[in-house]
Amino acid sequence: MSTPPPSQALTKDTHAPTGERADDDGAFGWLRALGPRGRRAFAGAFGGYALDSYDYFTLPLSMVALAAYFGLDSGQTGLLTTVTLVVSAIGGALAGVLADRVGRVKALLLTVITYAVFTVACGFAPNYETLLVFRALQGLGFGGEWAVGAILVAEYASARHRGRTLGAIQSSWAVGWGLAAIVYTVVFSLAGDDLAWRIMFWTGALPALLVIWVRRSVHDAPEAVVAREQSAGKGSFTAIFKPGLLRTTVFAVLLSTGVQGGYYTLATWVPTYLKTERDLSVVGTGGYLTFLISGAFIGYLTGGYLTDRLGRRRNIWLFALLSAICILAYANIPSGANTLLLVLGFPLGFCMSAIFSGFGSYLSELYPTAVRGTGQGFTYNTGRAVGAVFPTTVGFLADSWGVGGALVFGAIGYGLAALALLGLPETRGKELV
């Protein structure tokens, strides 16, 4: 993909991080403030993250069928998620460095292609070991897409609107999750379980369409290109561990570990919990997930607004507390009270998603342009990899505690996130330089 020279791009595009206008207020002022190039970058990142989510959820939604097909216990099925998340740390860190060295858009394209190819490959796996390898390789692309896409849009967004803008990007995760739930309901209703799980993975080829459009239409923010070209030592792992950034890197990893440990515990095991312990059918599970996913979508948008109003740290603190409370309540609903389970799915999805809304803006603001991709890619995905211990632990505890009982382990993650904020500064209103 050809990118206009920085000087030329600067004269052709006005995307308004530096020039607020009166019409930048209102419900969609943040979108107008991006300008034409920024809106195309937003569309590319939104689509990439939605399809990233779709490809991820092909596994949790197919987990019961996979366990039956390959004869797996809970620990083995949990390992499929863990290996995805652990390898995603490598993919995310490498994608971050690549974004700092060759640009955000090129790195975004590579991550989308990687996760799409290996999601499709999972559908052809002849045995558990091969599936485990393909799922690990899928994690390489899965790990890098969000960090690269978030940085691409953050560098177009104004400081005033960055939280809402990145919160809207984050909401695409719920869109992909919802699409996966719809396809799951249709596929598993029409095909036998032995074939249906393969079809779910094969539909992971959808991102190929996005790649074609992004390659033609999306460019890095011009000012970011200039800053990156003028910076020395760009894309260096050692730079984020130097004295000026070491504290930030350590606490950002802890923050990411806590939030993602709690989140992936729920994302991985709730579908299994609904089918095996609440005895819901495929259609019934899809219906309950609809409430959870609807809450998630609104939570992302609301959290994006609140992270601009309250600040990054206060927003995360608030929803860490509420998420922990919701997990404990959801996992302890009495047997037979499935209506209450249905209703509580909405606030659970809302809270565990609203906490993520500030991540894109917060991690982008913690690092300078020269190492922004490296810093965000490393901290977010290392946290994701360490947080992967949580769903695996649930898998091993499920045989003795039950899936519902083991889900409470996710609440510990949110407590860790709240503690990690004590070591990080507030960055609301910070200009990206």
Side-chain angles (χ1 to χ4, degrees), residues 59-147:
L59 174 62
L61 290 168
S62 304
M63 196 172 282
V64 173
L66 279 168
Y69 186 87
F70 290 119
L72 309 178
D73 58 31
S74 296
Q76 288 174 307
T77 52
L79 185 60
L80 286 167
T81 295
T82 297
V83 73
T84 305
L85 300 180
V86 169
V87 176
S88 77
I90 301 171
L94 292 176
V97 173
L98 192 64
D100 286 334
R101 290 182 178 273
V102 303
R104 313 324 190 193
V105 173
K106 290 180 180 179
L108 178 66
L109 289 170
L110 183 60
T111 61
V112 172
I113 292 169
T114 301
Y115 74 65
V117 167
F118 287 108
T119 298
V120 173
C122 288
F124 293 98
N127 52 51
Y128 172 71
E129 292 75 18
T130 304
L131 179 63
L132 196 64
V133 171
F134 285 156
R135 193 65 183 177
L137 293 172
Q138 189 259 7
L140 288 174
F142 171 71
E145 193 284 332
W146 177 83

Coordinates of all heavy atoms in Angstrom, one line a residue, residues 59-147:
L59 N -14.2 -20.5 18.9 CA -13.8 -21.6 19.8 C -14.7 -21.7 21.1 O -15.2 -22.8 21.3 CB -12.3 -21.4 20.3 CG -11.8 -22.3 21.4 CD1 -11.8 -23.8 20.8 CD2 -10.4 -22.0 21.8
P60 N -14.9 -20.7 21.9 CA -15.8 -20.9 23.1 C -17.2 -21.4 22.7 O -17.7 -22.3 23.4 CB -15.8 -19.5 23.7 CG -14.6 -18.8 23.3 CD -14.3 -19.3 21.9
L61 N -17.7 -20.9 21.6 CA -19.1 -21.4 21.2 C -19.1 -22.8 20.7 O -20.1 -23.5 20.8 CB -19.6 -20.4 20.1 CG -19.9 -19.0 20.5 CD1 -20.2 -18.1 19.3 CD2 -21.2 -19.0 21.5
S62 N -18.0 -23.3 20.2 CA -17.9 -24.7 19.7 C -17.3 -25.6 20.7 O -17.1 -26.8 20.4 CB -17.0 -24.7 18.4 OG -17.5 -23.8 17.5
M63 N -17.0 -25.1 21.9 CA -16.2 -25.9 22.9 C -16.9 -27.2 23.3 O -16.2 -28.3 23.4 CB -15.9 -25.1 24.1 CG -14.8 -25.6 25.0 SD -14.3 -24.5 26.3 CE -13.3 -23.3 25.3
V64 N -18.2 -27.2 23.5 CA -18.8 -28.5 23.9 C -18.8 -29.5 22.8 O -18.5 -30.7 23.1 CB -20.3 -28.2 24.3 CG1 -21.1 -29.5 24.6 CG2 -20.4 -27.3 25.5
A65 N -19.0 -29.1 21.6 CA -18.9 -30.0 20.4 C -17.5 -30.5 20.2 O -17.3 -31.7 19.9 CB -19.4 -29.3 19.2
L66 N -16.5 -29.6 20.4 CA -15.1 -30.0 20.3 C -14.7 -31.1 21.3 O -14.1 -32.1 21.0 CB -14.2 -28.8 20.4 CG -14.0 -27.9 19.2 CD1 -13.3 -26.6 19.6 CD2 -13.2 -28.7 18.1
A67 N -15.2 -30.8 22.6 CA -14.9 -31.7 23.7 C -15.4 -33.1 23.4 O -14.8 -34.1 23.6 CB -15.4 -31.2 25.0
A68 N -16.6 -33.2 22.8 CA -17.3 -34.5 22.5 C -16.6 -35.1 21.3 O -16.3 -36.3 21.3 CB -18.7 -34.3 22.2
Y69 N -16.2 -34.3 20.3 CA -15.6 -34.9 19.1 C -14.2 -35.5 19.4 O -13.9 -36.6 18.9 CB -15.5 -33.8 18.1 CG -15.0 -34.3 16.7 CD1 -15.9 -34.8 15.8 CD2 -13.7 -34.3 16.4 CE1 -15.5 -35.2 14.5 CE2 -13.2 -34.7 15.1 CZ -14.1 -35.2 14.2 OH -13.7 -35.6 13.0
F70 N -13.4 -34.8 20.2 CA -12.0 -35.3 20.4 C -11.9 -36.0 21.8 O -10.8 -36.4 22.1 CB -11.1 -34.1 20.4 CG -10.9 -33.5 19.0 CD1 -11.2 -32.2 18.7 CD2 -10.3 -34.3 18.0 CE1 -11.0 -31.7 17.5 CE2 -10.1 -33.8 16.7 CZ -10.5 -32.5 16.4
G71 N -13.0 -36.1 22.5 CA -12.9 -36.7 23.8 C -12.1 -36.0 24.8 O -11.2 -36.6 25.5
L72 N -12.3 -34.7 25.0 CA -11.5 -33.8 25.8 C -12.1 -33.6 27.2 O -13.4 -33.6 27.3 CB -11.3 -32.5 25.2 CG -10.8 -32.5 23.7 CD1 -10.7 -31.0 23.2 CD2 -9.5 -33.2 23.6
D73 N -11.3 -33.4 28.2 CA -11.8 -33.0 29.5 C -11.7 -31.5 29.6 O -11.3 -30.8 28.7 CB -11.0 -33.7 30.7 CG -9.5 -33.4 30.6 OD1 -9.1 -32.3 30.2 OD2 -8.7 -34.2 31.1
S74 N -12.2 -31.0 30.7 CA -12.3 -29.5 30.9 C -10.9 -28.8 30.8 O -10.8 -27.7 30.3 CB -13.0 -29.2 32.2 OG -14.3 -29.6 32.2
G75 N -9.9 -29.5 31.4 CA -8.6 -28.9 31.4 C -8.0 -28.8 29.9 O -7.4 -27.8 29.6
Q76 N -8.3 -29.8 29.1 CA -7.8 -29.8 27.7 C -8.5 -28.7 26.9 O -7.9 -28.0 26.1 CB -8.0 -31.2 27.1 CG -7.0 -32.2 27.6 CD -7.4 -33.6 27.1 OE1 -8.5 -34.1 27.2 NE2 -6.4 -34.2 26.5
T77 N -9.8 -28.6 27.1 CA -10.5 -27.5 26.4 C -10.1 -26.1 26.8 O -10.0 -25.2 26.0 CB -12.1 -27.7 26.5 OG1 -12.4 -27.8 27.9 CG2 -12.6 -28.9 25.8
G78 N -9.9 -26.0 28.1 CA -9.4 -24.7 28.6 C -8.0 -24.4 28.1 O -7.7 -23.2 27.8
L79 N -7.2 -25.4 27.8 CA -5.9 -25.2 27.3 C -5.9 -24.6 25.9 O -5.0 -23.8 25.5 CB -5.1 -26.5 27.2 CG -3.6 -26.5 26.8 CD1 -2.8 -25.5 27.7 CD2 -3.0 -27.8 26.8
L80 N -7.0 -24.9 25.1 CA -7.1 -24.3 23.8 C -7.2 -22.8 23.9 O -6.6 -22.1 23.0 CB -8.4 -24.9 23.1 CG -8.3 -26.3 22.6 CD1 -9.7 -26.8 22.2 CD2 -7.3 -26.4 21.4
T81 N -7.9 -22.3 24.8 CA -8.0 -20.9 25.1 C -6.7 -20.3 25.6 O -6.2 -19.3 25.1 CB -9.1 -20.5 26.0 OG1 -10.4 -20.9 25.5 CG2 -9.2 -19.0 26.4
T82 N -6.1 -21.0 26.5 CA -4.9 -20.5 27.1 C -3.8 -20.4 26.1 O -3.0 -19.4 26.0 CB -4.4 -21.5 28.2 OG1 -5.4 -21.5 29.2 CG2 -3.1 -21.0 28.8
V83 N -3.6 -21.4 25.2 CA -2.5 -21.3 24.2 C -2.8 -20.2 23.2 O -1.8 -19.5 22.8 CB -2.4 -22.7 23.5 CG1 -3.5 -22.9 22.5 CG2 -1.0 -22.7 22.8
T84 N -4.0 -19.9 22.9 CA -4.3 -18.8 22.1 C -3.9 -17.5 22.7 O -3.3 -16.6 22.1 CB -5.9 -18.7 21.8 OG1 -6.3 -19.9 21.3 CG2 -6.2 -17.6 20.8
L85 N -4.2 -17.3 24.0 CA -3.9 -16.1 24.7 C -2.4 -15.9 25.0 O -1.9 -14.8 24.9 CB -4.7 -16.0 26.0 CG -6.2 -16.0 25.8 CD1 -6.9 -15.9 27.2 CD2 -6.7 -14.9 24.9
V86 N -1.7 -17.0 25.3 CA -0.3 -17.0 25.6 C 0.5 -16.6 24.3 O 1.3 -15.7 24.3 CB 0.2 -18.3 26.1 CG1 1.7 -18.3 26.2 CG2 -0.4 -18.5 27.5
V87 N 0.2 -17.2 23.2 CA 0.9 -16.9 22.0 C 0.5 -15.5 21.5 O 1.3 -14.8 20.8 CB 0.6 -18.0 20.9 CG1 1.2 -17.6 19.6 CG2 1.1 -19.3 21.3
S88 N -0.7 -15.0 21.8 CA -1.1 -13.7 21.5 C -0.2 -12.6 22.0 O 0.0 -11.6 21.5 CB -2.6 -13.4 21.9 OG -2.6 -13.1 23.3
A89 N 0.4 -13.0 23.2 CA 1.4 -12.0 23.8 C 2.6 -11.8 22.8 O 3.1 -10.7 22.6 CB 1.9 -12.5 25.1
I90 N 3.0 -12.9 22.2 CA 4.1 -12.9 21.3 C 3.7 -12.1 20.0 O 4.4 -11.2 19.6 CB 4.6 -14.3 20.9 CG1 5.1 -15.0 22.1 CG2 5.7 -14.2 19.8 CD1 5.4 -16.5 21.9
G91 N 2.5 -12.4 19.5 CA 2.0 -11.8 18.3 C 1.8 -10.3 18.6 O 2.1 -9.4 17.7
G92 N 1.2 -9.9 19.7 CA 1.0 -8.5 20.1 C 2.3 -7.7 20.2 O 2.4 -6.6 19.7
A93 N 3.3 -8.3 20.9 CA 4.5 -7.6 21.0 C 5.2 -7.4 19.7 O 5.7 -6.3 19.4 CB 5.4 -8.4 22.0
L94 N 5.2 -8.4 18.9 CA 5.9 -8.3 17.5 C 5.1 -7.3 16.6 O 5.7 -6.5 15.9 CB 5.9 -9.7 16.9 CG 6.8 -10.7 17.5 CD1 6.7 -12.1 16.8 CD2 8.3 -10.2 17.5
A95 N 3.8 -7.4 16.7 CA 3.0 -6.4 15.9 C 3.2 -5.0 16.3 O 3.2 -4.1 15.5 CB 1.5 -6.8 16.0
G96 N 3.4 -4.8 17.6 CA 3.7 -3.4 18.2 C 5.0 -2.9 17.6 O 5.0 -1.7 17.2
V97 N 6.0 -3.7 17.7 CA 7.3 -3.3 17.1 C 7.2 -3.0 15.6 O 7.7 -2.0 15.1 CB 8.4 -4.4 17.4 CG1 9.7 -4.0 16.6 CG2 8.6 -4.5 18.8
L98 N 6.5 -3.9 14.9 CA 6.3 -3.7 13.5 C 5.5 -2.4 13.2 O 5.9 -1.7 12.2 CB 5.5 -4.9 12.9 CG 5.4 -5.1 11.4 CD1 6.8 -5.3 10.8 CD2 4.5 -6.2 11.0
A99 N 4.5 -2.1 14.0 CA 3.8 -0.9 13.8 C 4.6 0.3 13.9 O 4.5 1.3 13.2 CB 2.6 -0.8 14.8
D100 N 5.6 0.3 14.9 CA 6.5 1.4 15.1 C 7.6 1.5 13.9 O 8.1 2.6 13.6 CB 7.2 1.3 16.4 CG 6.3 1.6 17.6 OD1 5.4 2.4 17.4 OD2 6.6 1.1 18.7
R101 N 7.9 0.4 13.3 CA 8.9 0.4 12.3 C 8.4 0.6 10.9 O 9.0 1.3 10.1 CB 9.7 -1.0 12.4 CG 10.5 -1.1 13.6 CD 11.3 -2.4 13.6 NE 12.2 -2.5 14.8 CZ 13.4 -2.1 14.9 NH1 13.9 -1.4 13.8 NH2 14.1 -2.2 16.0
V102 N 7.3 0.0 10.5 CA 6.8 0.1 9.1 C 5.5 0.8 9.0 O 5.0 1.0 7.9 CB 6.7 -1.3 8.5 CG1 8.0 -2.1 8.6 CG2 5.6 -2.2 9.2
G103 N 4.9 1.1 10.1 CA 3.6 1.9 10.1 C 2.4 1.0 10.6 O 2.5 -0.2 10.7
R104 N 1.4 1.8 11.0 CA 0.2 1.1 11.7 C -0.6 0.3 10.7 O -1.0 -0.8 11.0 CB -0.7 2.2 12.3 CG -0.1 3.3 13.2 CD 1.1 2.9 14.0 NE 1.4 4.0 15.0 CZ 2.5 4.0 15.7 NH1 3.4 3.1 15.5 NH2 2.7 5.0 16.6
V105 N -0.8 0.8 9.5 CA -1.7 0.1 8.6 C -1.1 -1.2 8.1 O -1.8 -2.2 8.0 CB -2.1 1.1 7.4 CG1 -2.8 0.3 6.3 CG2 -2.9 2.3 7.9
K106 N 0.2 -1.1 7.7 CA 0.8 -2.4 7.2 C 0.8 -3.5 8.3 O 0.6 -4.6 8.0 CB 2.2 -2.1 6.8 CG 2.3 -1.2 5.5 CD 3.8 -1.0 5.1 CE 3.9 -0.1 3.8 NZ 5.2 0.2 3.4
A107 N 1.0 -3.1 9.5 CA 1.0 -4.0 10.6 C -0.4 -4.5 10.8 O -0.6 -5.7 11.1 CB 1.5 -3.4 11.9
L108 N -1.4 -3.7 10.7 CA -2.8 -4.1 10.8 C -3.2 -5.1 9.8 O -3.8 -6.2 10.1 CB -3.7 -2.9 10.7 CG -5.2 -3.1 10.8 CD1 -5.6 -3.6 12.2 CD2 -6.0 -1.8 10.4
L109 N -2.8 -4.9 8.6 CA -3.1 -5.9 7.5 C -2.5 -7.3 7.8 O -3.1 -8.3 7.6 CB -2.5 -5.4 6.2 CG -3.3 -4.2 5.6 CD1 -2.5 -3.6 4.4 CD2 -4.7 -4.6 5.1
L110 N -1.2 -7.3 8.3 CA -0.6 -8.5 8.6 C -1.3 -9.3 9.7 O -1.4 -10.5 9.6 CB 0.9 -8.3 8.9 CG 1.7 -9.5 9.2 CD1 1.8 -10.4 7.9 CD2 3.2 -9.1 9.6
T111 N -1.7 -8.6 10.7 CA -2.4 -9.3 11.8 C -3.7 -9.9 11.4 O -4.1 -11.0 11.8 CB -2.6 -8.3 13.0 OG1 -3.4 -7.2 12.6 CG2 -1.3 -7.8 13.5
V112 N -4.5 -9.1 10.6 CA -5.8 -9.6 10.1 C -5.6 -10.9 9.3 O -6.3 -11.8 9.4 CB -6.6 -8.5 9.4 CG1 -7.8 -9.1 8.7 CG2 -6.9 -7.4 10.3
I113 N -4.7 -10.8 8.3 CA -4.4 -12.0 7.5 C -4.0 -13.2 8.3 O -4.5 -14.3 8.1 CB -3.3 -11.7 6.4 CG1 -3.8 -10.6 5.4 CG2 -2.9 -12.9 5.7 CD1 -2.8 -10.0 4.6
T114 N -3.2 -13.0 9.3 CA -2.7 -14.1 10.1 C -3.8 -14.8 10.9 O -4.0 -16.0 10.9 CB -1.6 -13.6 11.1 OG1 -0.5 -13.1 10.4 CG2 -1.1 -14.8 11.9
Y115 N -4.7 -14.0 11.6 CA -5.7 -14.6 12.4 C -6.8 -15.3 11.5 O -7.4 -16.3 11.9 CB -6.3 -13.7 13.5 CG -7.2 -12.6 13.0 CD1 -8.5 -12.9 12.5 CD2 -6.9 -11.3 13.3 CE1 -9.4 -11.8 12.1 CE2 -7.8 -10.2 12.9 CZ -9.0 -10.5 12.4 OH -9.9 -9.5 12.1
A116 N -7.0 -14.7 10.3 CA -8.0 -15.3 9.4 C -7.6 -16.7 8.9 O -8.3 -17.6 8.9 CB -8.3 -14.4 8.3
V117 N -6.3 -16.7 8.4 CA -5.8 -17.9 7.8 C -5.8 -19.1 8.8 O -6.3 -20.2 8.5 CB -4.4 -17.7 7.3 CG1 -3.7 -19.0 7.0 CG2 -4.4 -16.8 6.0
F118 N -5.4 -18.9 10.0 CA -5.3 -20.0 11.0 C -6.6 -20.3 11.6 O -6.8 -21.4 12.1 CB -4.2 -19.7 12.0 CG -2.8 -19.8 11.4 CD1 -2.0 -18.7 11.1 CD2 -2.3 -21.1 11.0 CE1 -0.8 -18.8 10.5 CE2 -1.0 -21.2 10.4 CZ -0.3 -20.1 10.2
T119 N -7.5 -19.4 11.6 CA -8.9 -19.7 12.1 C -9.5 -20.7 11.1 O -10.1 -21.8 11.5 CB -9.8 -18.5 12.2 OG1 -9.3 -17.6 13.2 CG2 -11.2 -18.9 12.6
V120 N -9.4 -20.5 9.8 CA -9.9 -21.4 8.8 C -9.2 -22.7 8.9 O -9.8 -23.8 8.9 CB -9.7 -20.8 7.4 CG1 -10.0 -21.9 6.3 CG2 -10.5 -19.6 7.2
A121 N -7.9 -22.7 9.2 CA -7.1 -24.0 9.3 C -7.6 -24.8 10.5 O -7.6 -26.1 10.4 CB -5.6 -23.6 9.5
C122 N -8.1 -24.2 11.5 CA -8.6 -24.9 12.7 C -9.7 -25.9 12.2 O -9.9 -26.9 12.8 CB -9.1 -24.0 13.8 SG -7.8 -23.1 14.7
G123 N -10.5 -25.4 11.3 CA -11.6 -26.2 10.8 C -11.2 -27.5 10.1 O -12.1 -28.4 9.9
F124 N -10.0 -27.6 9.7 CA -9.5 -28.8 9.0 C -8.7 -29.7 9.9 O -8.1 -30.7 9.5 CB -8.6 -28.4 7.8 CG -9.4 -27.7 6.7 CD1 -9.4 -26.3 6.6 CD2 -10.1 -28.5 5.8 CE1 -10.1 -25.7 5.6 CE2 -10.8 -27.8 4.8 CZ -10.8 -26.5 4.7
A125 N -8.6 -29.3 11.2 CA -7.7 -30.1 12.2 C -8.2 -31.5 12.3 O -9.4 -31.8 12.6 CB -7.7 -29.4 13.5
P126 N -7.3 -32.5 12.1 CA -7.7 -33.9 12.2 C -7.7 -34.5 13.6 O -8.3 -35.5 13.9 CB -6.7 -34.6 11.3 CG -5.5 -33.8 11.4 CD -6.0 -32.4 11.6
N127 N -7.0 -33.8 14.5 CA -6.9 -34.2 15.9 C -6.7 -33.0 16.8 O -6.5 -31.9 16.4 CB -5.8 -35.2 16.0 CG -4.4 -34.7 15.5 OD1 -4.0 -33.6 15.8 ND2 -3.8 -35.5 14.6
Y128 N -6.7 -33.3 18.1 CA -6.6 -32.3 19.1 C -5.3 -31.6 19.1 O -5.2 -30.3 19.2 CB -6.8 -32.9 20.5 CG -6.5 -31.9 21.6 CD1 -7.4 -30.9 21.9 CD2 -5.4 -32.1 22.5 CE1 -7.1 -30.0 23.0 CE2 -5.1 -31.2 23.5 CZ -6.0 -30.2 23.8 OH -5.8 -29.3 24.8
E129 N -4.2 -32.3 18.9 CA -2.9 -31.7 18.8 C -2.7 -30.7 17.7 O -2.1 -29.6 17.9 CB -1.8 -32.8 18.7 CG -1.7 -33.7 19.9 CD -2.8 -34.7 20.1 OE1 -3.5 -35.0 19.1 OE2 -3.0 -35.2 21.2
T130 N -3.2 -31.1 16.5 CA -3.1 -30.1 15.4 C -4.0 -28.9 15.6 O -3.6 -27.8 15.3 CB -3.6 -30.8 14.1 OG1 -2.9 -32.0 13.9 CG2 -3.5 -29.9 12.9
L131 N -5.2 -29.1 16.2 CA -6.0 -28.0 16.5 C -5.3 -27.0 17.5 O -5.4 -25.8 17.4 CB -7.3 -28.5 17.1 CG -8.3 -27.4 17.6 CD1 -8.8 -26.6 16.4 CD2 -9.5 -28.0 18.3
L132 N -4.6 -27.6 18.5 CA -3.9 -26.8 19.4 C -2.8 -25.9 18.8 O -2.7 -24.7 19.1 CB -3.2 -27.7 20.5 CG -2.8 -27.1 21.8 CD1 -3.9 -26.5 22.6 CD2 -2.0 -28.2 22.6
V133 N -2.1 -26.5 17.8 CA -1.1 -25.8 17.1 C -1.7 -24.6 16.2 O -1.2 -23.5 16.2 CB -0.3 -26.7 16.2 CG1 0.7 -25.9 15.2 CG2 0.5 -27.7 17.0
F134 N -2.8 -25.0 15.5 CA -3.4 -24.0 14.7 C -4.0 -22.8 15.5 O -3.9 -21.7 15.1 CB -4.5 -24.6 13.8 CG -4.0 -25.4 12.6 CD1 -4.8 -26.4 12.1 CD2 -2.8 -25.2 12.1 CE1 -4.4 -27.1 11.0 CE2 -2.4 -25.9 11.0 CZ -3.1 -26.9 10.5
R135 N -4.5 -23.2 16.6 CA -5.1 -22.2 17.5 C -4.0 -21.3 18.1 O -4.2 -20.1 18.2 CB -5.9 -22.8 18.7 CG -6.8 -21.9 19.4 CD -7.9 -21.3 18.6 NE -8.7 -20.3 19.3 CZ -9.7 -19.6 18.9 NH1 -10.0 -19.8 17.6 NH2 -10.3 -18.8 19.6
A136 N -2.9 -21.9 18.4 CA -1.7 -21.1 18.8 C -1.3 -20.1 17.8 O -1.0 -18.9 18.0 CB -0.6 -22.0 19.2
L137 N -1.2 -20.5 16.5 CA -0.8 -19.7 15.4 C -1.8 -18.6 15.1 O -1.5 -17.5 14.7 CB -0.5 -20.5 14.2 CG 0.7 -21.4 14.3 CD1 0.8 -22.4 13.0 CD2 2.0 -20.7 14.4
Q138 N -3.1 -18.9 15.3 CA -4.1 -17.9 15.2 C -3.9 -16.8 16.2 O -4.2 -15.6 16.0 CB -5.5 -18.5 15.4 CG -6.7 -17.6 15.1 CD -7.3 -17.0 16.4 OE1 -6.8 -17.1 17.5 NE2 -8.4 -16.3 16.2
G139 N -3.4 -17.2 17.4 CA -3.1 -16.2 18.4 C -2.1 -15.1 18.0 O -2.1 -14.0 18.6
L140 N -1.2 -15.4 17.1 CA -0.2 -14.5 16.6 C -0.9 -13.2 16.1 O -0.6 -12.1 16.4 CB 0.7 -15.1 15.6 CG 1.7 -16.1 16.1 CD1 2.5 -16.7 14.9 CD2 2.7 -15.4 17.1
G141 N -1.9 -13.5 15.2 CA -2.6 -12.4 14.6 C -3.6 -11.8 15.5 O -3.8 -10.5 15.6
F142 N -4.3 -12.6 16.3 CA -5.3 -12.2 17.3 C -4.7 -11.2 18.3 O -5.3 -10.2 18.6 CB -5.8 -13.4 18.0 CG -6.7 -13.1 19.2 CD1 -8.0 -12.5 19.0 CD2 -6.3 -13.4 20.5 CE1 -8.8 -12.3 20.1 CE2 -7.1 -13.1 21.6 CZ -8.3 -12.5 21.4
G143 N -3.4 -11.5 18.7 CA -2.8 -10.6 19.7 C -2.4 -9.2 19.2 O -2.5 -8.3 20.0
G144 N -2.1 -9.1 17.9 CA -1.6 -7.8 17.4 C -2.7 -6.9 16.9 O -2.5 -5.7 16.9
E145 N -3.8 -7.4 16.5 CA -4.8 -6.5 15.8 C -5.3 -5.4 16.6 O -5.3 -4.3 16.2 CB -6.0 -7.4 15.3 CG -6.8 -6.7 14.2 CD -7.8 -5.7 14.9 OE1 -8.2 -5.8 16.0 OE2 -8.1 -4.7 14.2
W146 N -5.7 -5.7 17.8 CA -6.4 -4.6 18.6 C -5.4 -3.5 18.9 O -5.7 -2.3 18.7 CB -6.9 -5.1 19.9 CG -7.5 -4.0 20.8 CD1 -8.7 -3.5 20.7 CD2 -6.8 -3.3 21.8 NE1 -8.9 -2.5 21.6 CE2 -7.7 -2.3 22.3 CE3 -5.5 -3.4 22.4 CZ2 -7.4 -1.4 23.3 CZ3 -5.2 -2.5 23.4 CH2 -6.1 -1.5 23.8
A147 N -4.2 -3.8 19.4 CA -3.2 -2.8 19.7 C -2.9 -1.9 18.5 O -2.8 -0.7 18.6 CB -1.9 -3.4 20.3

